[in-house]
Structures are given as C-alpha cells and as structure tokens.
Amino acid sequence: LSGGVDSSALFHSLLESRSFFSGLEIQVVHFDHAWREESREEAVELREYVSGLGVAFHSKRSDTIVSDLRGKNLEDEARKERYAFFKQISLLVGAQGVVLAHQREDQAETVLKRIFEGAGVLTFSGMLPVLAFEGVALWRPFLTVPRSSIEEYNKKHGWVPFLDRTNLDSQFLRPRMRKELFPELERSFGKNVTASLSRIGEEVLELKAFIEQRLQSFLEKRVEDVSGSCLPASIFESLSRFEKKELIRLFLCLYKVTISRASLNTALNLL
C-alpha cells in the first residue's frame, strides 16, 4: 500500500472481500523509497489509518542514496529493493502471496516498452496475473481494470490518495510514457491504444502458455548425466523453426541461462 490511487483501491477492495471469504487475513506492506520529503509523514499517516482498521502494517524506509545509483536504471533498482522487502515480510508472516495493484494502463505501458526494447514475440506479453517470484506468489487482480474505474472506486469510498510527484516526473520513463507518448498515440490513431495494447498482452500470454504446454513433453526428454544436460537432436526434427527457438529458450531457462538473439540463430542454423 503506497497510498496512491491504485494500491488504495486494492486495499479497500480486499477489506470488502473479507465479508465473502471466511478467515481471510490481510496485512499491509509499505515501502518508502525516500525520494520525497513528505513520504515519511505519509508512512506515519498510513500506519495510523491501517492500524485503526485492525490491520497489521509493515513498513521500511530505504537507506539507498540515489546518487549512488548513477548510471543505473533508478526505477528497476527501486523495484528490486521494494520486492525484496515484500518477499521478506511475506516469508516472515507466512503469507499465501503478495497482492499488487498493477492495472490496465500499467500493463499497456509494459507491453509497449518491451516491444520498443526489441523483445521476442512471446516476451512482450506484459505482466502475469499470477507469478512465482523467488518462492513467493505474486497476484495482480487489477490487470484488466482501467484506471478510470479505480479512480471512481476511490471516490465512492471517500479516499483521497496521496499524490506521488515522482509519478509525474519526466526523468522517469513511465511518467514520460503516460504524459507524452500515450496521449500522442491516441491523438494519432484516434482510439484507446491502452486497451488495445493490454488486450495484445493478454493474447500473447495465452499463446505463450499454449506453446510452453506443447513443448513440455520435448523438455522431458532431456538427458542429464555427469557431463551435463542436453536435448537429443532428434526431437527437433518434427518442430518448426519457431518451436525450435522456443524449446532452446525454455531448456536454457531451466538452468537460468539466457541466450542472445545472434547465438540463438547460430544454434538454429547448426541444427
């Protein structure tokens, strides 16, 4: 719970869910990146509000000095630090999972960002609604929900979210996409590109699941011995070039190995 628009709606919807699910226990995790002066006071205000509702509250303020991250992707580094804390608290309290408030616009931004970064067809699918992260389950129930519906929900509950100025700061990629890129795309195409990109992300996820399920039986034919692990060349004979490529990727993922596009093409040509 950052106190922003999306996480506030998520928190209140989970509170309402307790009346439908017997024994559902919610605990709140708040991570303060210490990028804004007012964030310390916001953490105190959130603690008082959440504790007043009888909900456990866990918080941490980052001691990372932003200047020390010069040359690195600040958003990625912040995400790593935040997720590490989520994992720590989740394991500490024995939680079933961590529920995150990413919504449809976040999904569209992720899909477009990955396309522009040159991701492969099955890797610009966007965020998964359910994901295992270092032994912790992550759930994203809002991925298909438009931000306008979330804002309406907050208004209905009389909750005024905190305004995080970093979400408007153009030095960060995602705020630039929201303020500049997406409005320009929608003016140019005359349609809601956010909904289209989000839908593409969902369909690619379905395709990815289908391909991985189809290739699972081939992965199970791998041979492991003291010299290492391999896939018999014969299993590639009946596969299309695309399937061969994905099978190699999936095989290497089992051993946490990544492969460049050039090396993958070399392997395919040799096969």
Side-chain angles (χ1 to χ4, degrees):
L1 175 61
S2 68
V5 175
D6 304 329
S7 66
S8 296
L10 177 65
F11 175 57
H12 289 108
S13 67
L14 286 170
L15 286 180
E16 289 187 330
S17 297
R18 292 189 300 185
S19 61
F20 299 99
F21 299 101
S22 175
L24 177 64
E25 182 187 350
I26 301 163
Q27 297 195 23
V28 163
V29 180
H30 173 77
F31 192 88
D32 178 4
H33 289 289
W35 289 354
R36 299 174 295 119
E37 291 181 15
E38 61 270 27
S39 65
R40 192 187 296 273
E41 294 178 7
E42 290 172 355
V44 173
E45 188 177 332
L46 277 178
R47 179 181 292 279
E48 291 175 352
Y49 177 71
V50 169
S51 300
L53 293 170
V55 176
F57 185 88
H58 310 272
S59 67
K60 179 180 179 180
R61 183 175 173 86
S62 175
D63 53 10
T64 301
I65 300 172
V66 173
S67 59
D68 291 344
L69 299 175
R70 190 174 288 109
K72 295 185 178 181
N73 185 317
L74 196 58
E75 290 170 285
D76 282 347
E77 294 302 317
R79 188 181 302 108
K80 290 175 187 174
E81 194 175 16
R82 185 167 67 247
Y83 277 41
F85 184 58
F86 293 167
K87 176 185 175 182
Q88 176 191 339
I89 298 302
S90 179
L91 296 175
L92 179 68
V93 303
Q96 285 178 274
V98 178
V99 192
L100 303 171
H102 296 114
Q103 31 82 353
R104 191 173 72 179
E105 279 77 358
D106 296 321
Q107 183 73 300
E109 290 164 11
T110 299
V111 171
L112 192 60
K113 178 175 177 287
R114 289 178 177 172
I115 291 173
F116 286 161
E117 288 173 341
V121 172
L122 297 185
T123 51
F124 68 73
S125 54
M127 294 175 281
L128 289 161
V130 179
L131 173 69
F133 169 74
E134 297 183 3
V136 175
L138 301 182
W139 297 323
R140 298 183 174 105
F142 280 5
L143 274 184
T144 59
V145 181
R147 190 178 181 86
S148 57
S149 297
I150 292 172
E151 290 172 340
E152 190 177 313
Y153 182 85
N154 282 331
K155 190 174 181 181
K156 170 187 168 186
H157 285 79
W159 174 261
V160 180
F162 296 140
L163 176 61
D164 185 344
R165 287 180 284 108
T166 58
N167 288 330
L168 306 173
D169 191 339
S170 294
Q171 72 167 309
F172 300 112
L173 177 60
R174 285 188 181 268
R176 286 203 306 275
M177 293 177 76
R178 287 177 209 133
K179 290 168 60 178
E180 301 168 18
L181 183 57
F182 273 88
E184 179 58 36
L185 288 173
E186 295 191 348
R187 278 194 298 271
S188 299
F189 288 93
K191 60 167 60 177
N192 187 339
V193 296
T194 299
S196 300
L197 284 166
S198 179
R199 187 172 61 253
I200 288 170
E202 291 173 38
E203 291 179 355
V204 173
L205 279 174
E206 292 172 357
L207 175 61
K208 185 177 180 180
F210 170 76
I211 294 293
E212 289 181 358
Q213 184 178 19
R214 170 171 163 69
L215 295 177
Q216 189 59 42
S217 61
F218 296 97
L219 277 179
E220 291 169 359
K221 294 178 181 178
R222 68 186 182 277
V223 178
E224 296 182 334
D225 55 31
V226 291
S227 63
S229 179
C230 69
L231 288 170
S234 59
I235 70 174
F236 288 89
E237 293 174 1
S238 63
L239 301 179
S240 68
R241 184 177 175 87
F242 180 78
E243 289 172 317
K244 291 174 184 175
K245 187 162 54 176
E246 292 310 312
L247 180 57
I248 292 172
R249 279 207 185 104
L250 287 172
F251 172 68
L252 293 175
C253 279
L254 293 174
Y255 305 97
K256 295 182 170 58
V257 175
T258 56
I259 185 170
S260 69
R261 189 173 275 118
S263 296
L264 185 56
N265 281 326
T266 300
L268 288 168
N269 291 334
L270 289 169
L271 280 169

